[in-house]
Amino acid sequence: PRPVMPVAYQRISAVPSVGLDGVRHTVLTDSRGSTLVWNVRAALNVAALNCRDMRYQDITRNYGTYLKLHAKGLDGANKAGDADYKARFGKDGIATRETYLTSVYNFFAFPPTMPQFCEAALEVSREAAMPHPEGLEGFSARAFSQFSGVWEGVYRDWEKVRSDMAAWDARYGARSTQ
């Protein structure tokens, strides 16, 4: 039988390409410093709002603990993000950052990735609710790596199915439209 795209992946029309640097370029590719810290906070926020199955109930509690425990660092990251966007975009800085953050939230909430994302978020949330001797940036770098792995895995799976479908079509002929 011809390979079939899993239902969860049917909403994906294309995946970001891998650049010459070997990195798949997404809205999150250049996350560093305070932006990285804030984007990990955004991922945990999306998880707390969207990972509603009972097995994920700890995410919301862990996220609340994370916000309290790391309030000062998160506030600093937010202020640094605002300052960076104001410096780069002038009077349009905050609006530009808000547009960027909307794309970040949408990226994390992409339905085809939710099962894997919620699993990763549960793990990350457990660590997020603890003090981090290496600092919030060190934790965020590790957490970001876990979250990035979710999308990379989904993208690789999607590309493999597409490749398998094309190979089948080349061998047996294109699928009929009936």
Side-chain angles (χ1 to χ4, degrees), residues 122-139:
L122 181 59
E123 271 186 56
V124 169
S125 77
R126 290 176 179 143
E127 188 179 349
M130 297 185 289
H132 306 293
E134 78 282 23
L136 202 48
E137 279 191 36
F139 159 73

Side-chain angles (χ1 to χ4, degrees), residues 56-115:
Y56 303 125
Q57 65 185 351
D58 289 346
I59 292 173
T60 302
R61 186 184 72 247
N62 292 340
Y63 177 59
T65 301
Y66 165 78
L67 291 175
K68 290 176 191 155
L69 186 62
H70 302 289
K72 185 176 178 181
L74 291 169
D75 184 55
N78 187 40
K79 287 178 179 172
D82 280 349
D84 175 53
Y85 271 77
K86 285 178 187 175
R88 289 171 44 205
F89 300 102
K91 66 179 178 66
D92 296 327
I94 298 302
T96 303
R97 183 170 187 233
E98 291 299 323
T99 299
Y100 167 75
L101 290 173
T102 297
S103 64
V104 168
Y105 280 95
N106 289 339
F107 182 86
F108 285 126
F110 190 48
T113 63
M114 289 310 287

Side-chain angles (χ1 to χ4, degrees), residues 4 17 23 35 50 66 71-73 88 91 96 98 104 128-129 137 146 150 156 159-160 177:
V4 176
S17 62
V23 174
T35 299
N50 291 285
Y66 165 78
K72 185 176 178 181
R88 289 171 44 205
K91 66 179 178 66
T96 303
E98 291 299 323
V104 168
E137 279 191 36
Q146 283 182 266
V150 167
R156 275 195 315 265
E159 288 172 332
K160 170 108 174 63
T177 57

Side-chain angles (χ1 to χ4, degrees), residues 8-32:
Y9 292 177
Q10 289 176 4
R11 292 184 62 186
I12 303 173
S13 58
V15 299
S17 62
V18 175
L20 294 175
D21 56 1
V23 174
R24 192 175 300 274
H25 291 266
T26 70
V27 68
L28 303 174
T29 300
D30 297 324
S31 296
R32 306 274 184 282

